[in-house]
Amino acid sequence: MLMVDVLIAGGGIAGSALAILLGRYGFQVELFEKECFPREKACGEGLMPGGVAVIERMNLREALGGKPFNGVRYHFGSQTAEGKFPSVPGLPAVGYGQRRKHMDAVLFQAAAETAGVTVHSGVSVERAILKDGRVRGLSVQGESLTAKLVVGADGVHSRIRSQLGLDQPARRKRLGARAHFRLARGRPQPSWVNVFVRPRREIYVTPLPEDEILVAALVSTHDLKSSIDHHFYGWCQDEPVLHSWLEGAAQVTPLRCVYPLSGSARRCSGRGFVLLGDAAGFLDPITGGGMTQALMTAELLAGYVQQGLDDVDDWLMEFERGRREMLRDYRILTQGVLWLADHPKLTEKALSVFRISPSLLSHFIGVSGGMRPLLRRRRPE
């Protein structure tokens, strides 16, 4: 059996970022991705400041490119509330919109160019290799590979998570649909991520390079009475601001869907393995931090791996505590926003409050952007 330091299943944002960081730290890494790049993927495509900061620390900001946005603007009927990214020392106060197929390709290529990292695309990981209750490696196209640590970063429908018996069904039956549009010449491009809120659905509009915008809808499957195509374009027509942006616009990608929009793992790590990114569980993309979380947790894990791979079990629980702490406030905020989405009258009242106190909305936007905690906590004495 071929032995390396770390085997990673999944070459998306989380897997590629981890491979780059570990390679730079001197580890030998094998990274496997079942698809070939560039690839399309249904995604919100807005990278929040916390994720931008990780990209900057990786010196990949210029390669990633993107269209800057200042924060998030919410629309509910005739009401509008803006939440600008707060100013936080050491963090950029801006997010970037970029096509997911470009981001994935840039990170995967950077991994391929990193010393110590070997990448494989168009290659499916068949299963994790278990021995004596420990994950020892991966089976890839009939070949057995062993490593000191195996990372499952293979996305929403993680084969590694499923094979290890860690799948936990989604509680909410929500579906996402997205398409890209190139705005008509001369039409101004939004400088915010715009969210159009309606009872039990949301439409996100993210500015992208080359005068493009992403339009993504999140909706409960119980509210779909016909094909998603029929609903999607009807919803766009229902929003006057969005409808005006799309006048004369050219649709440049077909409608693409993803389901489910939430899921979780019974546990996210164990003897010899770690789940990372969406494979480790995800609440819902309603607060838009998925890519940022993937980058931040990949950076966190890379820091723990630096402690050594001969003593993985010694630091693995500490990493899990750190990951839970890192994502706790984001999860609380997401649960709160999902609850509001089920109560339209309260959503309207909340937006009224945010209009009066934009700093409060800015604070919440900072939480979703990986910039600050939800509540100020006392330092231990």
Side-chain angles (χ1 to χ4, degrees):
M1 290 187 182
L2 176 65
M3 165 72 85
V4 296
D5 292 321
V6 181
L7 293 170
I8 304 174
I13 287 177
S16 289
L18 179 65
I20 294 166
L21 293 168
L22 293 182
R24 291 176 180 178
Y25 292 154
F27 293 98
Q28 296 296 310
V29 181
E30 295 265 344
L31 174 65
F32 299 91
E33 168 55 43
K34 66 180 180 180
E35 298 184 39
C36 295
F37 295 99
R39 62 170 186 187
E40 291 284 1
K41 185 174 182 180
C43 178
E45 299 187 333
L47 185 62
M48 298 295 204
V52 175
V54 177
I55 291 296
E56 289 180 346
R57 289 192 288 271
M58 295 173 68
N59 297 316
L60 293 173
R61 173 68 204 90
E62 186 176 348
L64 200 66
K67 185 74 175 181
F69 57 89
N70 303 316
V72 183
R73 177 182 290 150
Y74 288 90
H75 306 259
F76 187 85
S78 60
Q79 289 201 72
T80 302
E82 295 177 351
K84 191 174 183 179
F85 291 123
S87 177
V88 177
L91 290 176
V94 65
Y96 286 89
Q98 180 58 280
R99 290 282 297 272
R100 179 63 187 267
K101 71 173 186 177
H102 176 76
M103 285 191 277
D104 283 346
V106 165
L107 287 170
F108 193 77
Q109 182 61 33
E113 295 170 355
T114 301
V117 178
T118 303
V119 303
H120 310 266
S121 60
V123 175
S124 293
V125 172
E126 295 160 348
R127 61 182 179 85
I129 298 172
L130 288 163
K131 185 178 180 181
D132 300 326
R134 187 180 189 87
V135 174
R136 304 284 183 176
L138 296 173
S139 175
V140 183
Q141 294 186 335
E143 184 180 2
S144 295
L145 310 175
T146 60
K148 296 175 181 177
L149 179 66
V150 172
V151 178
D154 48 344
V156 172
H157 303 290
S158 170
R159 177 176 291 186
I160 300 298
R161 185 184 66 216
S162 177
Q163 188 228 330
L164 294 175
L166 300 176
D167 278 338
Q168 194 157 304
R171 293 181 180 180
R172 286 176 173 266
K173 306 299 182 182
R174 299 240 294 167
L175 176 144
R178 70 96 176 108
H180 298 92
F181 299 84
R182 182 168 292 115
L183 300 179
R185 181 173 296 180
R187 179 130 352 235
Q189 194 174 23
S191 57
W192 303 72
V193 168
N194 284 262
V195 184
F196 298 87
V197 182
R198 296 281 179 169
R200 294 180 300 279
R201 77 166 187 263
E202 307 84 43
I203 296 180
Y204 288 72
V205 180
T206 304
L208 301 170
E210 299 182 7
D211 294 320
E212 291 184 5
I213 59 173
L214 168 82
V215 180
L218 310 180
V219 62
S220 168
T221 55
H222 298 298
D223 297 324
L224 297 177
K225 306 303 180 185
S226 57
S227 71
I228 185 63
D229 299 63
H230 172 78
H231 283 289
F232 182 85
Y233 298 107
W235 295 331
C236 293
Q237 294 281 339
D238 289 343
E239 305 295 344
V241 174
L242 175 55
H243 179 59
S244 69
W245 289 336
L246 293 179
E247 286 183 355
Q251 185 172 339
V252 294
T253 61
L255 193 65
R256 190 180 181 102
C257 300
V258 59
Y259 176 85
L261 290 182
S262 63
S264 60
R266 300 185 190 280
R267 56 190 172 93
C268 298
S269 60
R271 298 182 65 196
F273 79 93
V274 175
L275 299 177
L276 195 65
D278 284 345
F282 47 100
L283 276 175
D284 192 281
I286 195 168
T287 40
M291 294 189 298
T292 292
Q293 289 181 39
L295 288 166
M296 292 175 67
T297 53
E299 185 180 51
L300 180 69
L301 177 58
Y304 276 93
V305 173
Q306 277 192 289
Q307 297 183 24
L309 287 170
D310 292 328
D311 304 307
V312 169
D313 294 341
D314 292 343
W315 54 255
L316 198 53
M317 289 306 298
E318 186 180 349
F319 161 72
E320 278 303 335
R321 286 192 293 270
R323 172 160 60 178
R324 286 195 295 268
E325 175 70 17
M326 174 181 284
L327 301 181
R328 179 179 57 186
D329 287 354
Y330 179 85
R331 291 178 177 275
I332 292 171
L333 181 65
T334 300
Q335 289 167 341
V337 174
L338 285 168
W339 183 82
L340 275 177
D342 291 334
H343 299 81
K345 291 183 178 180
L346 292 178
T347 299
E348 186 173 10
K349 290 180 179 179
L351 284 182
S352 297
V353 172
F354 293 145
R355 290 183 66 185
I356 297 170
S357 179
S359 62
L360 180 60
L361 181 55
S362 177
H363 171 71
F364 289 138
I365 296 300
V367 175
S368 69
M371 304 175 73
R372 56 169 46 167
L374 186 60
L375 299 173
R376 183 175 296 175
R377 300 184 180 92
R378 289 185 178 181
R379 293 181 180 179
E381 297 181 359

